[in-house]
């Protein structure tokens, strides 16, 4: 039984619905720009505003991106249709959302979590986004009790894909992994920038609990989760809330709940007493979308290597653990091919991984620094010609200049790795200067080593290799 | 007249369609719609199990447009035609607690 | 045929310099000033724009420039087609005063053809009705007898042509809204194949049924105007990806050897005077060398039910956008839902509300299968019936309207009575086929009777050939 952090005997069941905005130039059904952050109501056209007489025409690139998502999630791409989902809301310009209903484009896929858990993907369908309401007055911009709202339709009609998982997620950590992995895939296939903070990726969680082996419990849908961290916290909170209700003899009401970041709780948003009747029917202004095998195969053939395979490759190349943070971060930034280049230029891939993870956050997938220069730096380090601290300084200069010969830079700074016999001398001086710390360290207090190393590094004016100092100290204590 | 739908049904439908109609109108519409549904019962006895629904007269597939930007409408012109607008946006009264 | 000039002759005369566009416009504006108050064909007469456009056209002709196929032809547009900067109301209070920021595709095509707009015509609110009595701005009167209705919903467009206010006009036909008023006003009216004419900018009533088409004095004018407005439009996903058909060129070809279908099981309800004219039409065509064949359309009697479930269902969704948020009129209220409900209650007329409610009900949870879902299947049956019939016939002839133009108020008490006006025109829209009404003599009270020619998908050529023969035999 996996540890889900819940009281003994309780199982957590979570399904995730993720909406992603597609990286197209224009809207799903019209030619106004799909662009975040513009002045309100500047990206509008008759279709976006739902003007009388306007008609939708499907964006081919949006379809291709949706197919990329489906194929990357191992879905079957099939003939599909669009429906109207009818409801009144001021940011829904036509009073219906065009969405794929009973015949979605992508069905029956799955996503493998880095740990090897398989999460089924029920469907990944296309639909249009709504505009944006901002509430004014009342209690600080909340919907309830506001005085009025202002509507911006720039986002209306932006193409979305909604990815609906099976309720296969069993822990909050798996939910976090799912969203992280999904985001990595979406970015890798170029379908979306998938930024939760900007709303281009939005995640709802259907949470229920049950005793192991029991029927599925009643679920609540959790909305307004704005980061992967909050997703985990919201699921954990909601699961405990439901268990508390059930253990005190209550029942769970099926409802939509709102995650409140400030108090760390979920709150009832809308009880489904008067269940919404969306009066779905086939959108008569659109025709069937049925990509033929040739089109599907063309899209499949153009898919890049996906993050999971890239992580495996990078782990093999660098010798790092496949599920390590460094591997995940570097693959997510798309810098794994760069590390391959460093290796091909004769560099040390393991050291390159460390530097790229630590210092290349701003560099993107094509760093300014030529791979051969980083290769040269990792060779100096591996051969003991530079300490890690010195290498970091040299790398800083190289990044600033956009390249350079690390040996020459090191020489100009007077860097050379100190001989072990010289370091032994500094160690002697250091122990003499810190007799108490030495005694504690010898008594097995590992923390005391910090003070010793610090003193010794200071005495060597930073030229001693920290790793060598540590090794000598350990050797002396044990010896 | 049969009772195919009640005044309560009509009131509910009017709410769903966002039409504020008086009680007298609900009565009148109930009678009229009930009469229509009576007439429309002529298709109730047709054998339709194996019939494919027809939603469009001229079936086309894959009608697509290129992802190319087109000129936008002028914001001022559009907002001037709106019942209420401010700060470059459409102004509406507060939502009465319902949210999607 | 009336004694007003045809579009064909006006375009010819204007292009050749025999007549100025300005004089043509003045002649029509003068007739408008004489009779519009009585007829009320228009929601808006655009005299200034018409004069300006005509003067501009005359100047271009004087410079020797090429002009379009409708050069100087005064045309009226049903007020449910978007015209940039010119009010488009759908004869509804909810849209009163709204000026669209864009043109419908047909409007751009007419501009490009050098037609001259004289105004926006009255209609049943949002095209829902068969008499134009449902206009929020008052009814249109039949120019041939102003105590009678012009038919609807495109009553204003039919009346504008019949009264000589415009040489031709455009209407929209969802269940007969071009053909029935054409018949009642004694003019030609065409509903083209669904998808032949772009719907972009036509304010939607029922998206899978709506189609724009012409009114005219002559079959040749209808052919000319259909050619101009037809053709593929990338802005309408349901637009047929084919070029516009050639129709004017087929008109003289006769009907020799053609098979004309007579519906053996025609639904009852047509008056004797109307059926007498239909019989006369068959005789005329037989004389011209056609063969009359019996066809069966057993599902035809269910068309009314299918239509009055499908059209309101689509309409309930299409008309949900009139919510007082982005355009049109608003009734102020203290919260969103009251604003919506008060705005829509004040903005929509009785018939529109009735159909929105009927359609909402037909689509709602628990009733979809019994009503809307079933109606879609009946639609298929009707389409299959037509397919079988057209195996034996090139076109089918029926009455257009069961009666001649009726007096005001005759059918306003019970909505169903009014719905029965469309019994012969509705099946075509369900099938998506073309159909047209051609005046063929008169019936009761000396009012005109129209004969309806039905043809299969993209069968406009055969339909126009038959229409031309009937026109010369009338
Ligand atoms: Mg959802
Ligand atoms: Zn969605």
């Amino acid at each position: 039984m996996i540890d889900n952090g819940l009281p003994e005997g309780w199982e957590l069941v979570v399904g995730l619905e993720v909406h992603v905005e597609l990286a197209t130039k224009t809207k799903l059904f019209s030619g106004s720009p799909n662009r975040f952050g513009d002045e309100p109501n500047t990206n509008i056209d008759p279709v976006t505003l739902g003007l009388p007489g306007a008609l939708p025409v499907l964006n081919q690139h949006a379809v291709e991106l949706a197919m990329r998502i489906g194929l990357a999630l191992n879905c079957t791409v099939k003939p599909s249709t669009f429906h109207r989902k009818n409801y009144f809301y001021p940011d829904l310009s036509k009073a219906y959302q065009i969405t794929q209903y009973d015949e979605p484009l992508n069905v029956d896929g799955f996503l493998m979590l880095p740990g090897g858990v398989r999460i089924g993907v029920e469907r990944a369908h296309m639909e249009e986004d709504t505009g944006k309401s901002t509430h004014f007055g009342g209690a600080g911009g909340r919907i309830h009790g506001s005085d009025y709202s202002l509507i911006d339709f720039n986002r209306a009609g932006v193409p979305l894909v909604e990815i609906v998982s099976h309720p296969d997620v069993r822990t909050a950590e798996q939910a976090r992994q799912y969203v992280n992995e999904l985001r990595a895939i979406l970015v890798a296939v170029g379908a979306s920038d998938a930024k939760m903070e900007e709303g281009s990726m939005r995640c709802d969680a259907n949470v229920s609990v049950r005793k192991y082996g029991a029927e599925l419990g009643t679920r609540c849908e959790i909305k307004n989760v704005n980061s992967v961290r909050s997703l985990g916290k919201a699921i954990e909170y909601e699961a405990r809330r439901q268990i508390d209700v059930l253990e005190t003899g209550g029942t769970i009401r099926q409802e939509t709940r709102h995650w409140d970041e400030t108090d760390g709780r979920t709150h009832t948003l809308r009880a489904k007493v008067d269940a919404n009747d969306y009066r779905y029917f086939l959108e008569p202004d659109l025709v069937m979308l049925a990509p033929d095998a040739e089109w599907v195969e063309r899209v499949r053939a153009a898919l890049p290597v996906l993050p999971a395979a890239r992580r495996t490759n990078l782990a093999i190349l660098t010798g790092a653990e496949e599920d390590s943070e460094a591997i995940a971060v570097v693959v997510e930034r798309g810098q794994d091919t760069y590390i391959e280049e460093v290796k091909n230029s004769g560099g040390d891939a393991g050291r390159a991984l460390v530097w790229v993870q630590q210092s290349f956050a701003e560099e993107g997938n094509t760093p300014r620094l030529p791979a051969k220069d980083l290769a040269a730096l990792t060779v100096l380090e591996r051969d003991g010609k530079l300490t890690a601290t010195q290498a970091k300084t040299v790398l800083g200069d190289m990044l600033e200049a956009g390249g350079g010969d690390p040996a020459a830079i090191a020489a100009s700074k007077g860097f050379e790795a100190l001989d072990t016999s010289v370091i032994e001398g500094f160690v002697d001086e250091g122990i003499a200067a810190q007799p108490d710390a030495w005694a504690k360290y010898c008594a097995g207090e590992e923390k005391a080593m910090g003070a010793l190393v610090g003193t010794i590094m200071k005495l060597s004016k930073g030229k001693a290799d920290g790793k060598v100092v540590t090794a000598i100290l350990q050797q002396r204590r044990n010896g | 007249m049969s009772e195919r739908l009640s005044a309560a049904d009509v009131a509910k439908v009017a709410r769903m369609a966002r039409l504020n109609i008086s009680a007298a109108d609900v009565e009148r519409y109930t009678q009229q719609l009930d009469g229509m549904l009576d007439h429309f019962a002529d298709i109730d006895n047709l054998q339709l199990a194996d019939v494919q629904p027809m939603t469009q007269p001229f079936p086309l597939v894959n009608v697509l447009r290129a992802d190319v930007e087109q000129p936008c409408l002028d914001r001022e012109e559009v907002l001037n035609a709106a019942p209420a607008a401010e700060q470059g946006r459409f102004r509406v009264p507060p939502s009465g607690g319902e949210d999607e | 045929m009336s004694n007003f000039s045809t579009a064909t002759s006006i375009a010819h005369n204007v292009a050749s310099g025999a007549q100025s566009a300005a004089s043509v416009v003045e002649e029509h504006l003068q007739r408008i000033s004489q009779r519009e108050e009585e007829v009320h064909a228009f929601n808006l007469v655009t005299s200034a724009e018409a004069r300006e456009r005509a003067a501009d056209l005359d100047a271009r002709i004087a410079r020797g420039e090429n002009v379009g196929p409708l050069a100087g032809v005064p045309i009226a547009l049903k007020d449910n087609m978007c015209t940039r900067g010119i009010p488009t109301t759908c004869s509804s209070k909810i849209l009163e005063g709204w000026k669209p920021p864009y043109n419908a595709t047909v409007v751009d095509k007419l501009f490009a053809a050098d037609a001259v707009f004289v105004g926006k015509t009255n209609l049943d609110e949002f095209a829902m009705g068969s008499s134009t009595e449902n206009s929020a701005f008052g009814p249109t009167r039949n120019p041939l007898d102003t105590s009678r209705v012009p038919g609807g919903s495109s009553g204003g467009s039919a009346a504008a042509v019949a009264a000589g206010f415009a040489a031709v006009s455009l209407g929209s036909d969802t269940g007969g809204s071009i053909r029935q008023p054409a018949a009642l006003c004694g003019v030609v009216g065409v509903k083209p194949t669904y998808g032949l004419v772009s719907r972009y900018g036509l304010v939607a009533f029922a998206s899978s049924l709506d189609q724009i088409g012409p009114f005219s004095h002559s079959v040749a004018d209808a052919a000319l105007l259909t050619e101009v407005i037809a053709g593929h439009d990338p802005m309408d996903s349901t637009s047929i990806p084919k070029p516009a058909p050639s129709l004017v060129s087929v008109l003289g070809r006769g009907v020799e050897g053609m098979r004309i279908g007579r519906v053996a099981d025609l639904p009852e309800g047509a008056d004797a005077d109307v059926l007498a004219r239909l019989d006369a039409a068959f005789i005329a065509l037989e004389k011209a060398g056609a063969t009359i064949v019996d066809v069966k359309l057993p599902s035809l009697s269910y068309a009314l039910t299918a239509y009055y479930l499908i059209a309101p269902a689509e309409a309930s969704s299409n008309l949900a956008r009139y919510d007082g948020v982005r355009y049109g009129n608003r009734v102020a209220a203290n919260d969103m839902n009251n604003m919506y409900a008060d705005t829509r209650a004040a903005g929509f007329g009785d018939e529109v509300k009735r159909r929105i409610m009927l359609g909402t009900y037909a689509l709602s949870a628990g009733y979809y299968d019994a009503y809307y879902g079933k109606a879609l299947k009946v639609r298929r049956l009707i389409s299959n019936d037509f397919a079988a019939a057209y195996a034996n016939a090139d076109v089918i002839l029926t009455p257009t309207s069961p009666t001649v133009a009726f007096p005001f108020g005759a059918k306003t008490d019970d909505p169903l009575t009014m719905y029965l006006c469309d019994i012969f025109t509705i099946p075509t829209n369900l099938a998506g086929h073309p159909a047209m009404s051609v005046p063929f003599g008169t019936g009761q009270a000396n009012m005109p009777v129209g004969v309806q020619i039905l043809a299969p998908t993209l069968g406009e050529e055969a339909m126009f050939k038959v229409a031309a023969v009937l026109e010369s035999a009338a």
Side-chain angles (χ1 to χ4, degrees):
Chain A
M1 233 175 267
I2 47 174
D3 178 17
N4 59 17
L6 297 183
E8 190 68 38
W10 285 99
E11 185 178 31
L12 174 65
V13 177
V14 178
L16 295 162
E17 287 178 24
V18 177
H19 284 85
V20 283
E21 290 183 350
L22 299 180
T24 54
K25 289 196 187 71
T26 64
K27 305 277 176 80
L28 184 53
F29 298 116
S30 63
S32 62
N34 166 14
R35 206 158 45 216
F36 180 78
D38 283 1
E39 277 288 295
N41 290 308
T42 51
N43 299 333
I44 52 169
D45 57 53
V47 175
T48 298
L49 281 183
L51 294 188
L55 295 173
V57 186
L58 184 57
N59 181 335
Q60 172 159 8
H61 190 52
V63 175
E64 296 224 0
L65 295 182
M67 281 163 65
R68 281 191 213 169
I69 293 173
L71 294 171
L73 295 174
N74 310 292
C75 290
T76 305
V77 177
K78 55 183 272 301
S80 62
T81 55
F82 290 90
H83 272 67
R84 291 186 184 179
K85 178 183 183 180
N86 296 285
Y87 66 91
F88 287 88
Y89 201 70
D91 60 24
L92 186 68
S93 57
K94 304 179 296 300
Y96 54 84
Q97 181 196 31
I98 304 178
T99 179
Q100 296 196 306
Y101 181 53
D102 53 358
E103 304 274 6
L105 182 65
N106 305 297
V107 296
D108 296 336
F110 64 88
L111 182 148
M112 295 299 287
L113 300 185
V117 175
R118 183 184 194 274
I119 306 296
V121 170
E122 184 189 317
R123 55 191 285 157
H125 69 257
M126 305 183 72
E127 62 186 23
E128 56 179 343
D129 209 342
T130 62
K132 216 163 191 169
S133 305
T134 312
H135 309 290
F136 291 87
R142 298 273 289 272
I143 299 169
H144 301 284
S146 68
D147 296 331
Y148 65 97
S149 306
L150 297 181
I151 321 288
D152 169 16
F153 288 99
N154 282 352
R155 198 180 69 180
V158 162
L160 295 176
V161 165
E162 180 177 345
I163 301 146
V164 181
S165 87
H166 284 292
D168 292 346
V169 174
R170 289 292 174 271
T171 67
E173 174 56 19
Q174 283 179 5
R176 282 189 287 259
Q177 284 184 358
Y178 175 87
V179 173
N180 280 329
E181 186 64 9
L182 184 57
R183 185 169 55 191
I185 291 170
L186 294 167
V187 171
V189 302
S192 175
D193 62 7
K195 290 179 180 161
M196 277 185 97
E197 325 76 64
E198 287 184 9
S200 63
M201 180 170 183
R202 306 193 279 272
C203 187
D204 303 332
N206 287 306
V207 178
S208 66
V209 296
R210 63 174 166 189
K211 291 282 192 172
Y212 278 99
E215 295 281 294
L216 276 180
T218 304
R219 67 197 165 97
C220 292
E221 185 175 16
I222 315 300
K223 288 187 178 288
N224 192 44
V225 179
N226 295 321
S227 68
V228 176
R229 232 180 95 251
S230 313
L231 174 67
K233 288 197 292 184
I235 291 172
E236 277 160 7
Y237 173 84
E238 178 61 19
R240 285 176 181 280
R241 184 192 71 84
Q242 291 184 12
I243 291 171
D244 284 349
V245 170
L246 293 170
E247 283 190 334
T248 54
T251 48
I252 304 299
R253 235 182 358 164
Q254 184 170 340
E255 61 186 1
T256 301
R257 297 178 69 87
H258 194 264
W259 168 249
D260 189 335
E261 188 68 55
T262 54
D263 67 3
R265 295 159 181 259
T266 63
H267 301 269
T268 299
L269 183 64
R270 147 165 50 96
K272 292 202 168 170
V273 275
D274 193 10
N276 271 311
D277 183 350
Y278 292 120
R279 288 159 284 131
Y280 283 98
F281 72 105
L282 209 66
E283 165 59 287
D285 288 328
L286 289 170
V287 303
M288 181 171 247
L289 172 64
D292 57 21
E294 189 263 334
W295 188 10
V296 175
E297 287 320 307
R298 193 151 32 89
V299 173
R300 193 195 303 276
L303 282 182
V305 182
L306 295 178
R310 282 165 52 193
R311 284 195 303 268
T312 307
N313 294 343
L314 187 60
I316 292 168
L317 191 75
T318 58
E321 289 294 326
E322 195 173 319
D323 57 1
S324 67
E325 169 134 13
I327 294 283
V329 164
V330 168
V331 166
E332 197 183 315
R333 289 193 209 136
Q335 294 163 333
D336 42 336
T337 44
Y338 178 77
I339 290 176
E340 227 178 291
E341 285 172 47
V342 172
K343 169 92 176 181
N344 292 341
S345 308
D348 183 291
R351 288 309 299 164
L353 177 67
V354 172
W355 292 129
V356 168
Q357 185 205 352
Q358 286 180 7
S359 310
F360 281 48
E362 309 291 310
E363 293 292 300
N365 54 6
T366 49
R368 281 165 298 170
L369 183 62
K372 67 169 174 46
D373 293 350
L374 181 60
L377 182 72
T378 61
V379 168
L380 290 177
E381 222 188 327
R382 185 188 61 201
D383 295 350
K385 303 257 169 60
L386 284 178
T387 67
T389 315
Q390 290 167 340
K392 187 170 185 155
T393 309
V394 172
L395 180 60
D397 280 22
M398 290 165 82
L399 275 172
E400 207 163 292
D405 174 5
I409 296 170
S412 75
K413 292 188 180 295
F415 287 169
E416 43 186 325
L418 293 177
D419 203 79
T420 306
S421 61
V422 180
I423 297 175
E424 294 271 5
F426 286 125
V427 171
D428 292 339
E429 284 181 49
I431 289 172
Q434 296 269 20
D436 287 355
W438 174 243
K440 281 182 188 164
Y441 178 60
C442 289
E445 214 174 295
E446 295 294 330
K447 277 194 302 189
M449 191 206 267
L452 290 166
V453 173
T455 305
I456 294 163
M457 294 303 286
K458 209 177 272 172
L459 290 166
S460 77
K461 299 196 170 66
K463 289 184 182 177
D465 188 333
K467 279 183 298 185
V468 177
V469 173
T470 310
I472 293 171
L473 284 170
Q474 275 168 349
Q475 207 182 330
R476 289 202 184 178
R477 178 178 68 175
N478 302 341
Chain B
M1 178 177 291
S2 76
E3 295 275 309
R4 290 183 183 273
L5 88 175
S6 65
D9 291 333
V10 172
K12 186 182 169 196
V13 163
R15 262 201 316 280
M16 218 192 297
R18 303 296 190 274
L19 291 168
N20 184 6
I21 55 177
S22 68
D25 279 344
V26 169
E27 282 304 323
R28 188 169 54 85
Y29 286 128
T30 304
Q31 280 196 10
Q32 290 173 338
L33 295 176
D34 193 65
M36 286 179 204
L37 295 180
D38 251 357
H39 189 275
F40 299 162
D42 62 346
I43 62 172
D44 283 354
N45 295 323
L46 292 175
Q47 296 301 312
L48 297 170
D50 300 325
V51 181
Q52 276 300 307
M54 174 173 167
T55 51
Q56 261 164 345
F58 198 97
L60 295 166
V61 243
N62 296 343
V63 176
L64 301 161
R65 48 172 273 273
D67 184 24
V68 176
E69 229 178 279
Q70 302 296 330
C72 288
L73 291 171
D74 178 67
R75 178 169 80 173
E76 294 325 303
E77 183 184 354
V78 166
L79 292 178
N80 281 338
E86 64 182 61
Q87 298 172 45
R89 288 173 285 183
F90 299 87
R91 181 178 166 138
V92 295
S95 142
E98 222 170 316
D99 188 37
E100 294 294 337
Chain C
M1 209 190 296
S2 70
N3 39 18
F4 297 118
S5 320
T6 63
T8 305
S9 70
I10 291 170
H12 182 267
N13 290 345
V14 168
S16 68
Q19 202 178 4
S20 72
S23 68
V24 173
V25 164
E26 289 311 326
E27 187 190 317
H28 287 82
L29 289 179
Q30 194 178 355
R31 281 198 287 265
I32 291 172
S33 69
Q34 282 164 355
R35 286 199 74 196
E36 167 61 6
E37 205 170 320
E38 177 194 12
V39 175
H40 187 220
F42 291 100
N43 286 335
L44 179 73
V45 177
T46 52
S47 349
E49 290 90 341
R51 287 186 170 115
E52 199 178 312
R53 192 163 284 275
D56 182 59
L57 184 62
D58 286 334
R60 283 169 50 208
I61 290 165
R63 288 198 299 269
E65 286 177 29
N66 283 334
V67 290
L70 295 177
V73 173
I75 185 166
L77 286 177
K78 189 177 184 179
D79 201 16
N80 61 352
M81 297 174 209
C82 287
T83 42
R84 186 176 161 76
I86 294 171
T88 299
T89 68
C90 296
S91 290
S92 180
K93 276 191 272 181
I94 211 158
L95 272 183
E96 191 172 7
W98 179 62
K99 294 178 183 169
Y102 78 108
N103 274 338
T105 297
V106 289
V107 172
D108 282 336
K109 287 191 176 219
L110 292 171
F111 274 132
D114 289 322
V116 174
F117 292 94
V118 293
K120 304 291 291 282
T121 60
N122 197 14
L123 61 147
D124 284 301
E125 184 177 4
F126 284 102
M128 296 178 185
S130 308
S131 65
T132 319
E133 288 167 290
N134 295 334
S135 168
F137 310 133
T140 296
R141 295 174 182 280
N142 192 318
L144 306 177
D145 175 351
T146 51
S147 71
R148 293 171 189 266
V149 303
S153 66
S154 313
S157 288
V161 172
F165 297 165
V168 287
S169 64
L170 289 187
S172 65
D173 189 315
T174 306
S177 282
I178 292 173
R179 291 158 288 159
Q180 185 255 14
L184 270 48
C185 291
V187 297
V188 177
V190 180
K191 185 206 93 79
T193 299
Y194 182 84
L196 192 70
V197 179
S198 170
R199 292 184 295 118
Y200 189 73
L202 167 69
V203 179
F205 162 15
S207 311
S208 79
L209 302 160
D210 295 342
Q211 189 64 191
I212 293 174
F215 288 93
S216 62
H217 293 297
S218 74
V219 171
D221 281 5
L224 173 64
L225 196 49
T226 305
E227 283 183 9
V228 168
I229 60 174
H232 180 241
D233 179 11
M235 300 298 279
D236 176 356
S237 302
T238 61
S239 170
I240 297 173
K242 284 186 178 169
S246 289
L247 298 172
V248 175
S249 63
V250 307
L251 294 178
R253 295 196 189 159
V255 292
E256 182 89 52
M258 278 180 78
R259 300 163 305 167
I260 315 291
R262 183 207 312 261
V263 184
D265 44 1
L266 192 71
E268 285 176 26
D271 285 353
D273 57 332
V274 170
L275 290 173
R277 293 313 299 156
L278 180 65
D279 287 340
F282 280 114
I283 292 167
L285 291 171
E286 210 161 17
K287 249 190 218 161
T291 313
I292 311 302
V293 296
D294 271 355
V295 296
K296 288 204 160 179
L297 295 167
S299 306
L300 214 57
S301 58
Y302 305 113
L304 195 84
T305 293
Y307 176 86
Y308 276 99
L309 290 170
I310 292 169
E314 291 183 11
S316 70
S317 173
N318 283 330
L319 270 64
R321 69 188 59 193
Y322 305 103
D323 57 8
V325 174
R326 298 163 312 285
Y327 45 78
N329 296 311
R330 170 190 294 189
V331 175
N334 54 2
D335 75 28
M336 231 14 255
N337 278 325
N338 282 317
M339 190 278 266
Y340 285 147
D342 291 348
T343 293
R344 290 163 60 77
F348 291 137
D350 203 39
E351 181 63 23
V352 172
K353 285 179 201 162
R354 193 155 38 235
R355 295 206 199 180
I356 287 174
M357 286 192 285
L358 176 57
T360 303
Y361 184 69
L363 285 174
S364 64
Y367 299 99
Y368 179 100
D369 290 335
Y371 293 112
Y372 183 69
K374 208 178 268 179
L376 294 180
K377 292 182 168 197
V378 174
R379 186 176 189 180
R380 174 76 63 196
L381 292 185
I382 290 162
S383 174
N384 291 346
D385 274 7
F386 273 118
Y390 286 124
N392 302 313
D394 298 306
V395 300
I396 296 169
L397 243 58
T398 72
T400 305
S401 158
T403 66
V404 297
F406 45 89
F408 286 96
K411 304 192 181 196
T412 43
D413 284 349
D414 175 21
L416 254 177
T417 320
M418 188 69 90
Y419 295 174
L420 287 164
C421 291
D422 303 329
I423 187 150
F424 300 118
T425 47
I426 274 171
T428 323
N429 299 79
L430 291 171
H433 295 162
M436 67 192 285
S437 179
V438 182
F440 201 72
T442 53
Q444 286 175 46
N446 208 28
M447 292 305 286
V449 171
V451 165
Q452 184 181 214
I453 312 161
L454 313 177
T457 294
L458 296 175
E460 272 83 358
E461 272 195 24
M463 183 175 84
F464 272 96
K465 280 186 205 166
V466 172
V469 169
L470 286 179
E471 179 178 54
S472 55

